[in-house]
Amino acid sequence: MEKVKRFEEKYLKKEIPEFKIGDTVLVHVKIKEGEKSRTQVFEGVAIRKKGSGVRSTFTVRRISYGEGVERTFLLHSPFVEKVVVKKKGKVRRAKLYYLREKKGKKSKVEEKIESKTASSGPDAAPRAEGS
């Protein structure tokens, strides 16, 4: 097993994109057509993450012309150039397979709005003592 781990370490990406299930992501994929190479962007909601190490994958789902399209990517693949988080999603599940049956607005994932509290951060107003 140690030999396998050492062999796989060579192929692991240094910068792993940070995203969670429910996030709307842009996946930049390298596509080779004949001798030409170009980058294609696939945008959708991350519905699944699976595996670990070199074998880790994630699935992105989007609706294209009224039809649901899912695409699974290898996280450490050289064809996946980068993953950009467009919106954070607010979900309570690890896998969002239930989105497959939803239609229209019900297939949307609620956006997570991160709020800053008044007592934290460098922009917080100083508090009066004795109150």
Side-chain angles (χ1 to χ4, degrees):
M1 287 303 285
E2 287 299 317
K3 286 184 180 181
V4 173
K5 283 185 181 179
R6 282 196 309 263
F7 179 76
E8 288 179 349
E9 283 177 2
K10 292 187 282 187
Y11 298 101
L12 291 174
K13 285 187 177 179
K14 306 291 186 262
E15 299 174 13
I16 299 173
E18 286 296 322
F19 65 95
K20 295 182 179 177
I21 304 303
D23 291 352
T24 302
V25 293
L26 299 167
V27 184
H28 296 262
V29 185
K30 232 186 284 184
I31 294 184
K32 194 172 183 181
E33 296 171 334
E35 294 181 16
K36 294 181 185 177
S37 177
R38 66 183 178 92
T39 301
Q40 185 180 50
V41 180
F42 190 85
E43 179 181 352
V45 177
I47 64 167
R48 172 177 83 170
K49 279 179 137 179
K50 184 179 177 182
S52 64
V54 176
R55 295 174 212 84
S56 60
T57 62
F58 64 99
T59 303
V60 179
R61 178 180 175 81
R62 76 171 181 198
I63 305 297
S64 180
Y65 297 105
E67 201 66 33
V69 178
E70 290 184 11
R71 194 159 171 198
T72 302
F73 301 98
L74 287 166
L75 188 60
H76 295 281
S77 171
F79 294 111
V80 176
E81 290 181 347
K82 62 181 176 177
V83 179
V84 179
V85 177
K86 192 172 180 186
K87 285 193 295 188
K88 294 277 188 187
K90 182 179 178 183
V91 293
R92 297 174 67 177
R93 300 280 178 268
K95 307 281 193 276
L96 304 182
Y97 297 143
Y98 66 89
L99 291 178
R100 293 173 177 165
E101 279 78 43
K102 303 289 183 184
K103 302 268 186 217
K105 287 186 178 181
K106 291 185 179 185
S107 68
K108 302 283 186 203
V109 174
E110 188 179 337
E111 187 174 357
K112 185 179 190 179
I113 300 170
E114 296 182 14
S115 62
K116 294 182 181 178
T117 59
S119 63
S120 66
D123 298 331
R127 302 181 110 187
E129 288 189 32
S131 56

Short mmCIF file of all heavy atoms in Angstrom, two decimals, residues 59-123:
data_model
loop_
_atom_site.label_atom_id
_atom_site.label_comp_id
_atom_site.label_asym_id
_atom_site.label_seq_id
_atom_site.Cartn_x
_atom_site.Cartn_y
_atom_site.Cartn_z
N THR A 59 -19.53 15.66 -9.00
CA THR A 59 -20.53 15.72 -10.06
C THR A 59 -21.21 17.08 -10.04
O THR A 59 -21.58 17.57 -8.97
CB THR A 59 -21.57 14.60 -9.88
OG1 THR A 59 -20.90 13.34 -9.88
CG2 THR A 59 -22.58 14.61 -11.02
N VAL A 60 -21.35 17.66 -11.22
CA VAL A 60 -21.98 18.97 -11.37
C VAL A 60 -23.22 18.79 -12.25
O VAL A 60 -23.17 18.10 -13.26
CB VAL A 60 -21.00 19.98 -12.01
CG1 VAL A 60 -21.65 21.32 -12.20
CG2 VAL A 60 -19.75 20.11 -11.17
N ARG A 61 -24.32 19.42 -11.84
CA ARG A 61 -25.59 19.31 -12.57
C ARG A 61 -26.06 20.69 -13.00
O ARG A 61 -25.97 21.65 -12.25
CB ARG A 61 -26.65 18.67 -11.68
CG ARG A 61 -28.01 18.55 -12.34
CD ARG A 61 -29.02 17.92 -11.41
NE ARG A 61 -30.33 17.91 -11.98
CZ ARG A 61 -30.79 17.03 -12.86
NH1 ARG A 61 -30.01 16.06 -13.26
NH2 ARG A 61 -32.01 17.10 -13.35
N ARG A 62 -26.56 20.76 -14.23
CA ARG A 62 -27.18 21.99 -14.72
C ARG A 62 -28.34 21.63 -15.64
O ARG A 62 -28.46 20.50 -16.11
CB ARG A 62 -26.17 22.86 -15.45
CG ARG A 62 -25.83 22.37 -16.84
CD ARG A 62 -25.01 23.40 -17.56
NE ARG A 62 -24.69 22.95 -18.90
CZ ARG A 62 -23.75 23.46 -19.63
NH1 ARG A 62 -23.01 24.42 -19.16
NH2 ARG A 62 -23.52 23.01 -20.84
N ILE A 63 -29.19 22.61 -15.89
CA ILE A 63 -30.32 22.44 -16.79
C ILE A 63 -29.95 23.14 -18.09
O ILE A 63 -29.65 24.33 -18.10
CB ILE A 63 -31.61 23.04 -16.21
CG1 ILE A 63 -31.91 22.47 -14.83
CG2 ILE A 63 -32.77 22.83 -17.16
CD1 ILE A 63 -32.16 20.98 -14.80
N SER A 64 -29.95 22.40 -19.19
CA SER A 64 -29.60 22.94 -20.49
C SER A 64 -30.74 22.68 -21.46
O SER A 64 -31.05 21.52 -21.75
CB SER A 64 -28.30 22.28 -20.98
OG SER A 64 -27.94 22.78 -22.22
N TYR A 65 -31.37 23.76 -21.93
CA TYR A 65 -32.51 23.67 -22.85
C TYR A 65 -33.62 22.78 -22.29
O TYR A 65 -34.20 21.96 -22.99
CB TYR A 65 -32.06 23.16 -24.22
CG TYR A 65 -31.09 24.08 -24.90
CD1 TYR A 65 -29.73 23.75 -24.96
CD2 TYR A 65 -31.50 25.27 -25.46
CE1 TYR A 65 -28.82 24.60 -25.57
CE2 TYR A 65 -30.59 26.12 -26.07
CZ TYR A 65 -29.26 25.78 -26.12
OH TYR A 65 -28.37 26.62 -26.72
N GLY A 66 -33.89 22.92 -20.99
CA GLY A 66 -34.97 22.18 -20.35
C GLY A 66 -34.62 20.75 -20.00
O GLY A 66 -35.45 20.01 -19.47
N GLU A 67 -33.41 20.33 -20.25
CA GLU A 67 -32.97 18.96 -20.00
C GLU A 67 -31.86 18.98 -18.95
O GLU A 67 -30.94 19.79 -19.03
CB GLU A 67 -32.44 18.36 -21.30
CG GLU A 67 -32.41 16.86 -21.36
CD GLU A 67 -33.78 16.22 -21.34
OE1 GLU A 67 -34.74 16.79 -21.87
OE2 GLU A 67 -33.87 15.12 -20.76
N GLY A 68 -31.94 18.10 -17.97
CA GLY A 68 -30.91 18.02 -16.94
C GLY A 68 -29.65 17.36 -17.47
O GLY A 68 -29.71 16.31 -18.11
N VAL A 69 -28.50 17.99 -17.23
CA VAL A 69 -27.21 17.46 -17.68
C VAL A 69 -26.30 17.35 -16.47
O VAL A 69 -26.12 18.32 -15.74
CB VAL A 69 -26.56 18.40 -18.73
CG1 VAL A 69 -25.21 17.86 -19.15
CG2 VAL A 69 -27.46 18.58 -19.92
N GLU A 70 -25.76 16.16 -16.24
CA GLU A 70 -24.82 15.94 -15.16
C GLU A 70 -23.49 15.52 -15.74
O GLU A 70 -23.44 14.76 -16.70
CB GLU A 70 -25.31 14.86 -14.20
CG GLU A 70 -26.49 15.28 -13.39
CD GLU A 70 -26.90 14.22 -12.38
OE1 GLU A 70 -26.15 13.24 -12.18
OE2 GLU A 70 -27.99 14.37 -11.81
N ARG A 71 -22.43 16.03 -15.14
CA ARG A 71 -21.10 15.67 -15.61
C ARG A 71 -20.22 15.40 -14.39
O ARG A 71 -20.20 16.18 -13.45
CB ARG A 71 -20.54 16.81 -16.44
CG ARG A 71 -19.35 16.41 -17.23
CD ARG A 71 -19.12 17.35 -18.38
NE ARG A 71 -17.83 17.03 -18.96
CZ ARG A 71 -17.15 17.83 -19.74
NH1 ARG A 71 -17.65 19.00 -20.09
NH2 ARG A 71 -15.99 17.49 -20.22
N THR A 72 -19.50 14.29 -14.43
CA THR A 72 -18.63 13.91 -13.33
C THR A 72 -17.19 14.18 -13.74
O THR A 72 -16.77 13.81 -14.84
CB THR A 72 -18.82 12.42 -12.99
OG1 THR A 72 -20.19 12.21 -12.65
CG2 THR A 72 -17.95 12.01 -11.82
N PHE A 73 -16.44 14.82 -12.84
CA PHE A 73 -15.06 15.19 -13.10
C PHE A 73 -14.14 14.53 -12.08
O PHE A 73 -14.51 14.41 -10.91
CB PHE A 73 -14.87 16.71 -13.00
CG PHE A 73 -15.71 17.51 -13.93
CD1 PHE A 73 -16.90 18.07 -13.52
CD2 PHE A 73 -15.31 17.71 -15.24
CE1 PHE A 73 -17.68 18.82 -14.37
CE2 PHE A 73 -16.08 18.46 -16.12
CZ PHE A 73 -17.26 19.01 -15.68
N LEU A 74 -12.95 14.17 -12.50
CA LEU A 74 -11.91 13.75 -11.57
C LEU A 74 -11.27 15.01 -11.01
O LEU A 74 -10.86 15.89 -11.77
CB LEU A 74 -10.85 12.92 -12.29
CG LEU A 74 -11.26 11.51 -12.67
CD1 LEU A 74 -10.27 10.92 -13.66
CD2 LEU A 74 -11.35 10.64 -11.44
N LEU A 75 -11.20 15.12 -9.71
CA LEU A 75 -10.70 16.33 -9.06
C LEU A 75 -9.24 16.60 -9.40
O LEU A 75 -8.84 17.73 -9.62
CB LEU A 75 -10.88 16.22 -7.55
CG LEU A 75 -10.59 17.46 -6.72
CD1 LEU A 75 -11.51 18.60 -7.13
CD2 LEU A 75 -10.77 17.16 -5.25
N HIS A 76 -8.43 15.56 -9.50
CA HIS A 76 -7.00 15.72 -9.73
C HIS A 76 -6.61 15.50 -11.20
O HIS A 76 -5.44 15.32 -11.51
CB HIS A 76 -6.21 14.77 -8.84
CG HIS A 76 -6.36 15.10 -7.39
ND1 HIS A 76 -5.67 16.11 -6.79
CD2 HIS A 76 -7.16 14.57 -6.43
CE1 HIS A 76 -5.99 16.18 -5.52
NE2 HIS A 76 -6.90 15.26 -5.28
N SER A 77 -7.58 15.52 -12.09
CA SER A 77 -7.31 15.31 -13.51
C SER A 77 -6.55 16.49 -14.10
O SER A 77 -6.84 17.64 -13.79
CB SER A 77 -8.62 15.12 -14.27
OG SER A 77 -8.40 15.13 -15.66
N PRO A 78 -5.61 16.23 -15.02
CA PRO A 78 -4.93 17.34 -15.68
C PRO A 78 -5.86 18.10 -16.64
O PRO A 78 -5.55 19.22 -17.03
CB PRO A 78 -3.79 16.67 -16.43
CG PRO A 78 -4.15 15.24 -16.52
CD PRO A 78 -5.05 14.94 -15.38
N PHE A 79 -6.99 17.52 -16.99
CA PHE A 79 -7.94 18.18 -17.89
C PHE A 79 -8.79 19.21 -17.16
O PHE A 79 -9.36 20.10 -17.77
CB PHE A 79 -8.83 17.16 -18.59
CG PHE A 79 -8.07 16.28 -19.54
CD1 PHE A 79 -7.89 14.93 -19.25
CD2 PHE A 79 -7.50 16.79 -20.68
CE1 PHE A 79 -7.19 14.12 -20.11
CE2 PHE A 79 -6.78 15.98 -21.54
CZ PHE A 79 -6.62 14.64 -21.25
N VAL A 80 -8.93 19.08 -15.84
CA VAL A 80 -9.66 20.07 -15.05
C VAL A 80 -8.66 21.15 -14.67
O VAL A 80 -7.81 20.96 -13.81
CB VAL A 80 -10.29 19.43 -13.79
CG1 VAL A 80 -10.95 20.50 -12.94
CG2 VAL A 80 -11.30 18.38 -14.19
N GLU A 81 -8.76 22.30 -15.35
CA GLU A 81 -7.81 23.38 -15.11
C GLU A 81 -8.07 24.07 -13.78
O GLU A 81 -7.15 24.27 -12.99
CB GLU A 81 -7.86 24.41 -16.24
CG GLU A 81 -7.30 23.90 -17.53
CD GLU A 81 -7.34 24.93 -18.63
OE1 GLU A 81 -8.02 25.97 -18.49
OE2 GLU A 81 -6.68 24.70 -19.66
N LYS A 82 -9.32 24.47 -13.54
CA LYS A 82 -9.65 25.11 -12.26
C LYS A 82 -11.14 25.01 -12.01
O LYS A 82 -11.94 24.80 -12.92
CB LYS A 82 -9.20 26.56 -12.23
CG LYS A 82 -9.85 27.47 -13.25
CD LYS A 82 -9.30 28.88 -13.14
CE LYS A 82 -9.87 29.77 -14.22
NZ LYS A 82 -9.42 31.14 -14.11
N VAL A 83 -11.49 25.17 -10.74
CA VAL A 83 -12.88 25.18 -10.31
C VAL A 83 -13.09 26.48 -9.55
O VAL A 83 -12.38 26.77 -8.59
CB VAL A 83 -13.20 23.98 -9.39
CG1 VAL A 83 -14.64 24.03 -8.93
CG2 VAL A 83 -12.92 22.66 -10.11
N VAL A 84 -14.06 27.28 -10.01
CA VAL A 84 -14.34 28.58 -9.40
C VAL A 84 -15.73 28.53 -8.78
O VAL A 84 -16.69 28.11 -9.42
CB VAL A 84 -14.30 29.70 -10.47
CG1 VAL A 84 -14.61 31.04 -9.85
CG2 VAL A 84 -12.96 29.72 -11.17
N VAL A 85 -15.83 28.94 -7.51
CA VAL A 85 -17.12 28.98 -6.82
C VAL A 85 -17.81 30.30 -7.17
O VAL A 85 -17.29 31.37 -6.90
CB VAL A 85 -16.94 28.85 -5.30
CG1 VAL A 85 -18.29 28.96 -4.60
CG2 VAL A 85 -16.27 27.55 -4.95
N LYS A 86 -18.98 30.18 -7.79
CA LYS A 86 -19.74 31.37 -8.18
C LYS A 86 -20.68 31.81 -7.05
O LYS A 86 -20.77 32.98 -6.74
CB LYS A 86 -20.54 31.06 -9.44
CG LYS A 86 -21.14 32.26 -10.11
CD LYS A 86 -21.75 31.88 -11.44
CE LYS A 86 -22.36 33.08 -12.11
NZ LYS A 86 -23.06 32.68 -13.33
N LYS A 87 -21.39 30.83 -6.45
CA LYS A 87 -22.30 31.11 -5.34
C LYS A 87 -22.18 29.98 -4.32
O LYS A 87 -21.99 28.82 -4.69
CB LYS A 87 -23.76 31.13 -5.81
CG LYS A 87 -24.16 32.35 -6.57
CD LYS A 87 -25.67 32.45 -6.72
CE LYS A 87 -26.25 31.34 -7.55
NZ LYS A 87 -27.67 31.53 -7.86
N LYS A 88 -22.31 30.33 -3.05
CA LYS A 88 -22.35 29.32 -1.99
C LYS A 88 -23.80 28.86 -1.85
O LYS A 88 -24.72 29.66 -1.89
CB LYS A 88 -21.89 29.92 -0.66
CG LYS A 88 -20.44 30.32 -0.66
CD LYS A 88 -19.60 29.14 -0.37
CE LYS A 88 -18.16 29.56 -0.16
NZ LYS A 88 -17.29 28.43 -0.03
N GLY A 89 -23.99 27.56 -1.66
CA GLY A 89 -25.32 27.02 -1.51
C GLY A 89 -25.62 26.66 -0.07
O GLY A 89 -24.73 26.28 0.68
N LYS A 90 -26.88 26.78 0.30
CA LYS A 90 -27.32 26.43 1.66
C LYS A 90 -28.11 25.13 1.57
O LYS A 90 -29.25 25.12 1.12
CB LYS A 90 -28.19 27.56 2.21
CG LYS A 90 -28.66 27.32 3.62
CD LYS A 90 -29.50 28.50 4.09
CE LYS A 90 -30.03 28.26 5.47
NZ LYS A 90 -30.90 29.35 5.92
N VAL A 91 -27.47 24.03 1.93
CA VAL A 91 -28.11 22.71 1.86
C VAL A 91 -27.86 21.96 3.16
O VAL A 91 -26.95 22.27 3.91
CB VAL A 91 -27.60 21.88 0.66
CG1 VAL A 91 -28.02 22.50 -0.65
CG2 VAL A 91 -26.10 21.72 0.71
N ARG A 92 -28.68 20.92 3.37
CA ARG A 92 -28.54 20.13 4.59
C ARG A 92 -28.31 18.66 4.26
O ARG A 92 -28.55 17.79 5.09
CB ARG A 92 -29.81 20.29 5.42
CG ARG A 92 -30.02 21.73 5.87
CD ARG A 92 -31.33 21.91 6.55
NE ARG A 92 -31.36 21.19 7.81
CZ ARG A 92 -32.38 21.23 8.65
NH1 ARG A 92 -33.45 21.94 8.35
NH2 ARG A 92 -32.35 20.56 9.79
N ARG A 93 -27.84 18.38 3.08
CA ARG A 93 -27.61 17.01 2.64
C ARG A 93 -26.20 16.87 2.09
O ARG A 93 -25.60 17.83 1.62
CB ARG A 93 -28.60 16.61 1.54
CG ARG A 93 -30.05 16.67 1.93
CD ARG A 93 -30.42 15.40 2.72
NE ARG A 93 -31.80 15.43 3.16
CZ ARG A 93 -32.21 15.90 4.32
NH1 ARG A 93 -31.35 16.44 5.15
NH2 ARG A 93 -33.46 15.85 4.67
N ALA A 94 -25.68 15.66 2.10
CA ALA A 94 -24.35 15.39 1.55
C ALA A 94 -24.42 15.10 0.06
O ALA A 94 -23.48 15.37 -0.68
CB ALA A 94 -23.71 14.20 2.27
N LYS A 95 -25.54 14.56 -0.40
CA LYS A 95 -25.75 14.28 -1.82
C LYS A 95 -27.09 14.89 -2.22
O LYS A 95 -28.09 14.73 -1.54
CB LYS A 95 -25.81 12.77 -2.07
CG LYS A 95 -24.63 11.98 -1.52
CD LYS A 95 -23.44 12.09 -2.42
CE LYS A 95 -22.38 11.09 -2.07
NZ LYS A 95 -21.48 11.49 -1.01
N LEU A 96 -27.11 15.60 -3.34
CA LEU A 96 -28.32 16.32 -3.77
C LEU A 96 -29.01 15.61 -4.93
O LEU A 96 -29.42 16.24 -5.90
CB LEU A 96 -27.97 17.76 -4.16
CG LEU A 96 -27.27 18.58 -3.08
CD1 LEU A 96 -27.03 19.99 -3.58
CD2 LEU A 96 -28.07 18.59 -1.80
N TYR A 97 -29.17 14.31 -4.82
CA TYR A 97 -29.83 13.55 -5.88
C TYR A 97 -31.30 13.92 -6.04
O TYR A 97 -31.87 13.70 -7.10
CB TYR A 97 -29.72 12.05 -5.61
CG TYR A 97 -28.31 11.52 -5.58
CD1 TYR A 97 -27.95 10.53 -4.69
CD2 TYR A 97 -27.34 12.00 -6.46
CE1 TYR A 97 -26.66 10.04 -4.66
CE2 TYR A 97 -26.05 11.51 -6.44
CZ TYR A 97 -25.72 10.53 -5.54
OH TYR A 97 -24.44 10.04 -5.51
N TYR A 98 -31.91 14.48 -5.00
CA TYR A 98 -33.32 14.84 -5.08
C TYR A 98 -33.57 15.94 -6.11
O TYR A 98 -34.69 16.12 -6.57
CB TYR A 98 -33.85 15.27 -3.71
CG TYR A 98 -33.26 16.55 -3.17
CD1 TYR A 98 -33.83 17.78 -3.47
CD2 TYR A 98 -32.13 16.53 -2.36
CE1 TYR A 98 -33.30 18.95 -2.98
CE2 TYR A 98 -31.59 17.70 -1.86
CZ TYR A 98 -32.18 18.90 -2.17
OH TYR A 98 -31.64 20.07 -1.68
N LEU A 99 -32.53 16.67 -6.53
CA LEU A 99 -32.70 17.73 -7.53
C LEU A 99 -33.08 17.15 -8.90
O LEU A 99 -33.59 17.86 -9.75
CB LEU A 99 -31.43 18.56 -7.66
CG LEU A 99 -31.06 19.43 -6.47
CD1 LEU A 99 -29.75 20.15 -6.74
CD2 LEU A 99 -32.16 20.43 -6.18
N ARG A 100 -32.81 15.88 -9.10
CA ARG A 100 -33.12 15.25 -10.40
C ARG A 100 -34.62 15.22 -10.67
O ARG A 100 -35.04 15.31 -11.81
CB ARG A 100 -32.56 13.83 -10.43
CG ARG A 100 -31.06 13.79 -10.40
CD ARG A 100 -30.55 12.39 -10.25
NE ARG A 100 -29.09 12.36 -10.30
CZ ARG A 100 -28.36 11.34 -9.91
NH1 ARG A 100 -28.94 10.24 -9.46
NH2 ARG A 100 -27.05 11.40 -10.00
N GLU A 101 -35.43 15.09 -9.62
CA GLU A 101 -36.88 15.03 -9.80
C GLU A 101 -37.54 16.40 -9.79
O GLU A 101 -38.70 16.52 -10.14
CB GLU A 101 -37.51 14.17 -8.70
CG GLU A 101 -37.43 12.68 -8.97
CD GLU A 101 -36.05 12.10 -8.68
OE1 GLU A 101 -35.46 12.47 -7.64
OE2 GLU A 101 -35.55 11.31 -9.49
N LYS A 102 -36.83 17.43 -9.36
CA LYS A 102 -37.42 18.76 -9.25
C LYS A 102 -37.43 19.47 -10.59
O LYS A 102 -36.55 19.30 -11.41
CB LYS A 102 -36.64 19.61 -8.23
CG LYS A 102 -36.55 19.00 -6.85
CD LYS A 102 -37.87 19.04 -6.16
CE LYS A 102 -37.74 18.48 -4.76
NZ LYS A 102 -38.99 18.39 -4.07
N LYS A 103 -38.45 20.30 -10.79
CA LYS A 103 -38.60 21.07 -12.02
C LYS A 103 -38.67 22.56 -11.70
O LYS A 103 -39.17 22.95 -10.65
CB LYS A 103 -39.89 20.68 -12.75
CG LYS A 103 -40.00 19.23 -13.11
CD LYS A 103 -39.48 18.98 -14.47
CE LYS A 103 -39.75 17.53 -14.84
NZ LYS A 103 -38.72 16.94 -15.60
N GLY A 104 -38.22 23.39 -12.61
CA GLY A 104 -38.37 24.83 -12.49
C GLY A 104 -37.65 25.43 -11.29
O GLY A 104 -36.52 25.10 -10.99
N LYS A 105 -38.36 26.31 -10.58
CA LYS A 105 -37.76 27.02 -9.44
C LYS A 105 -37.44 26.09 -8.28
O LYS A 105 -36.58 26.39 -7.47
CB LYS A 105 -38.69 28.13 -8.96
CG LYS A 105 -38.74 29.32 -9.88
CD LYS A 105 -39.56 30.42 -9.26
CE LYS A 105 -39.59 31.63 -10.13
NZ LYS A 105 -40.36 32.73 -9.55
N LYS A 106 -38.14 24.98 -8.19
CA LYS A 106 -37.91 24.06 -7.08
C LYS A 106 -36.56 23.35 -7.20
O LYS A 106 -36.06 22.80 -6.23
CB LYS A 106 -39.03 23.03 -7.00
CG LYS A 106 -40.34 23.63 -6.58
CD LYS A 106 -41.39 22.59 -6.40
CE LYS A 106 -42.69 23.26 -5.96
NZ LYS A 106 -43.73 22.30 -5.65
N SER A 107 -35.96 23.39 -8.38
CA SER A 107 -34.66 22.75 -8.57
C SER A 107 -33.50 23.67 -8.19
O SER A 107 -32.36 23.29 -8.28
CB SER A 107 -34.50 22.29 -10.02
OG SER A 107 -34.39 23.41 -10.87
N LYS A 108 -33.83 24.88 -7.75
CA LYS A 108 -32.80 25.83 -7.35
C LYS A 108 -32.34 25.53 -5.93
O LYS A 108 -33.12 25.09 -5.09
CB LYS A 108 -33.33 27.28 -7.39
CG LYS A 108 -33.84 27.70 -8.74
CD LYS A 108 -32.71 28.02 -9.67
CE LYS A 108 -33.27 28.59 -10.96
NZ LYS A 108 -32.39 28.44 -12.06
N VAL A 109 -31.08 25.83 -5.66
CA VAL A 109 -30.53 25.69 -4.32
C VAL A 109 -30.47 27.08 -3.71
O VAL A 109 -30.02 28.03 -4.34
CB VAL A 109 -29.11 25.07 -4.36
CG1 VAL A 109 -28.49 25.05 -2.99
CG2 VAL A 109 -29.18 23.68 -4.95
N GLU A 110 -30.94 27.20 -2.47
CA GLU A 110 -30.95 28.50 -1.78
C GLU A 110 -29.52 28.98 -1.56
O GLU A 110 -28.63 28.20 -1.22
CB GLU A 110 -31.66 28.36 -0.44
CG GLU A 110 -31.89 29.65 0.28
CD GLU A 110 -32.62 29.46 1.60
OE1 GLU A 110 -33.32 28.45 1.76
OE2 GLU A 110 -32.49 30.33 2.46
N GLU A 111 -29.30 30.27 -1.78
CA GLU A 111 -27.96 30.84 -1.62
C GLU A 111 -27.66 31.10 -0.16
O GLU A 111 -28.50 31.58 0.59
CB GLU A 111 -27.83 32.14 -2.42
CG GLU A 111 -26.42 32.67 -2.44
CD GLU A 111 -26.26 33.87 -3.34
OE1 GLU A 111 -27.23 34.27 -4.00
OE2 GLU A 111 -25.16 34.43 -3.37
N LYS A 112 -26.44 30.77 0.23
CA LYS A 112 -25.99 30.99 1.61
C LYS A 112 -25.42 32.39 1.71
O LYS A 112 -24.48 32.73 1.00
CB LYS A 112 -24.93 29.96 1.96
CG LYS A 112 -24.45 30.00 3.37
CD LYS A 112 -23.41 28.91 3.56
CE LYS A 112 -23.06 28.70 4.99
NZ LYS A 112 -22.08 27.63 5.15
N ILE A 113 -25.99 33.20 2.56
CA ILE A 113 -25.52 34.57 2.74
C ILE A 113 -24.73 34.62 4.04
O ILE A 113 -25.28 34.36 5.12
CB ILE A 113 -26.69 35.57 2.77
CG1 ILE A 113 -27.45 35.48 1.45
CG2 ILE A 113 -26.19 36.97 3.02
CD1 ILE A 113 -28.75 36.23 1.42
N GLU A 114 -23.45 34.92 3.92
CA GLU A 114 -22.61 34.98 5.10
C GLU A 114 -22.67 36.38 5.68
O GLU A 114 -22.34 37.35 5.02
CB GLU A 114 -21.18 34.61 4.74
CG GLU A 114 -21.07 33.18 4.26
CD GLU A 114 -19.65 32.78 3.93
OE1 GLU A 114 -18.72 33.51 4.32
OE2 GLU A 114 -19.49 31.74 3.29
N SER A 115 -23.11 36.48 6.92
CA SER A 115 -23.24 37.79 7.57
C SER A 115 -22.11 37.98 8.56
O SER A 115 -21.61 37.03 9.15
CB SER A 115 -24.58 37.90 8.27
OG SER A 115 -24.66 36.92 9.28
N LYS A 116 -21.72 39.23 8.74
CA LYS A 116 -20.70 39.56 9.72
C LYS A 116 -21.40 40.05 10.97
O LYS A 116 -22.31 40.87 10.91
CB LYS A 116 -19.77 40.66 9.19
CG LYS A 116 -18.96 40.22 8.01
CD LYS A 116 -18.03 41.33 7.56
CE LYS A 116 -17.22 40.89 6.37
NZ LYS A 116 -16.36 41.95 5.89
N THR A 117 -20.96 39.58 12.12
CA THR A 117 -21.55 40.03 13.37
C THR A 117 -20.91 41.35 13.79
O THR A 117 -19.79 41.66 13.41
CB THR A 117 -21.36 38.98 14.49
OG1 THR A 117 -19.96 38.76 14.66
CG2 THR A 117 -22.05 37.68 14.12
N ALA A 118 -21.60 42.12 14.58
CA ALA A 118 -21.13 43.44 14.98
C ALA A 118 -19.92 43.36 15.91
O ALA A 118 -19.13 44.28 15.99
CB ALA A 118 -22.24 44.21 15.67
N SER A 119 -19.76 42.24 16.62
CA SER A 119 -18.68 42.16 17.60
C SER A 119 -17.40 41.55 17.05
O SER A 119 -16.45 41.37 17.77
CB SER A 119 -19.15 41.35 18.81
OG SER A 119 -19.45 40.03 18.40
N SER A 120 -17.37 41.20 15.78
CA SER A 120 -16.16 40.56 15.24
C SER A 120 -15.68 41.31 14.01
O SER A 120 -16.41 42.05 13.38
CB SER A 120 -16.45 39.11 14.87
OG SER A 120 -17.37 39.06 13.81
N GLY A 121 -14.43 41.11 13.69
CA GLY A 121 -13.86 41.70 12.50
C GLY A 121 -13.23 43.03 12.76
O GLY A 121 -13.48 43.68 13.78
N PRO A 122 -12.37 43.48 11.84
CA PRO A 122 -11.67 44.74 12.02
C PRO A 122 -12.58 45.97 11.85
O PRO A 122 -12.26 47.04 12.34
CB PRO A 122 -10.60 44.72 10.94
CG PRO A 122 -11.12 43.80 9.90
CD PRO A 122 -11.95 42.79 10.63
N ASP A 123 -13.73 45.82 11.20
CA ASP A 123 -14.62 46.94 10.95
C ASP A 123 -15.63 47.14 12.08
O ASP A 123 -16.50 48.01 12.00
CB ASP A 123 -15.38 46.75 9.64
CG ASP A 123 -14.43 46.69 8.46
OD1 ASP A 123 -13.34 47.31 8.56
OD2 ASP A 123 -14.76 46.05 7.45
#
